[in-house]
Amino acid sequence: MALFDDRLEIVSSGELPFGLTPEMLFQPHESMPWNPLMANVFYKRGFIETWGRGTLKMADLRREADLPSPVLREQNGFVTLTFALQSAGGSGKTLGKTPGETLGKTLGKTPEAILAWLNQKPSATVPELAAQLGRSASAVERAMRKLREEGRLIRVGPDKGGHWQVIATQTKDIE
């Protein structure tokens, strides 16, 4: 993965399998997992909702957010997936001047988004939160650790079978 001022690139060595082309992946297509046993485990665990829709879903979600579709290309033995980083509304302007600034603006909202989500679904797991909020699991864990240290979030019960309790949402003092 590489984060640039204007884009996020995910690069994988090799070629698309089974004669697939980048164009085919952004149209309805048959899914042919490279490792069906591993893919089946992901499906049964709920990490995959249906086969052959990943690229279609990415394009649909970006279109709904008024963002350009991701670009997939094969070149010199590598497959590269590129996401243009633009502000909501498709203005064409990047969110920040540097990758750190871009991430800082986005991640600053993570704790409040976590609290809002956990108010609705207290049994949510870190991977579920990460997927819902579009953040990495480690970013969600850091934010949750901070919320716990601030006394705004507590865990009730064990890791398996327990739930989260939101203690307080952030309020601004009026003077």
Side-chain angles (χ1 to χ4, degrees):
M1 288 174 66
L3 181 61
F4 299 92
D5 290 348
D6 61 342
R7 68 193 183 283
L8 169 68
E9 288 187 355
I10 302 169
V11 181
S12 179
S13 62
E15 299 173 343
L16 291 173
F18 310 112
L20 290 170
T21 65
E23 296 77 23
M24 292 169 68
L25 291 175
F26 288 103
Q27 300 171 9
H29 61 279
E30 184 179 347
S31 180
M32 298 171 278
W34 191 258
N35 184 334
L37 293 175
M38 185 176 284
N40 195 35
V41 169
F42 285 139
Y43 177 74
K44 287 182 178 178
R45 293 286 298 156
F47 296 128
I48 301 171
E49 64 183 53
T50 187
W51 299 115
R53 284 201 9 90
T55 50
L56 298 173
K57 190 171 182 179
M58 282 189 289
D60 288 345
L61 290 171
R62 294 203 36 107
R63 190 173 19 264
E64 287 173 17
D66 199 21
L67 295 169
S69 292
V71 175
L72 186 67
R73 68 182 190 277
E74 273 187 302
Q75 187 175 355
N76 301 326
F78 291 91
V79 177
T80 304
L81 182 62
T82 303
F83 295 92
L85 299 178
Q86 295 181 328
S87 62
S91 67
K93 296 179 183 175
T94 58
L95 293 173
K97 293 181 181 178
T98 66
E101 184 180 341
T102 301
L103 289 174
K105 287 183 179 182
T106 303
L107 296 180
K109 300 174 186 173
T110 301
E112 299 310 317
I114 289 171
L115 292 177
W117 188 260
L118 290 176
N119 267 327
Q120 300 298 315
K121 188 176 179 196
S123 62
T125 64
V126 170
E128 287 173 335
L129 285 165
Q132 288 297 325
L133 302 175
R135 307 287 189 265
S136 68
S138 61
V140 169
E141 287 171 346
R142 277 192 306 276
M144 292 177 82
R145 185 171 36 254
K146 184 177 177 186
L147 289 167
R148 291 173 87 174
E149 289 169 359
E150 293 172 352
R152 298 172 66 196
L153 182 67
I154 61 171
R155 180 72 182 176
V156 178
D159 287 344
K160 292 188 180 202
H163 66 276
W164 294 100
Q165 183 177 351
V166 176
I167 301 303
T169 56
Q170 185 148 356
T171 58
K172 294 184 179 181
D173 296 330
I174 301 173
E175 295 188 31

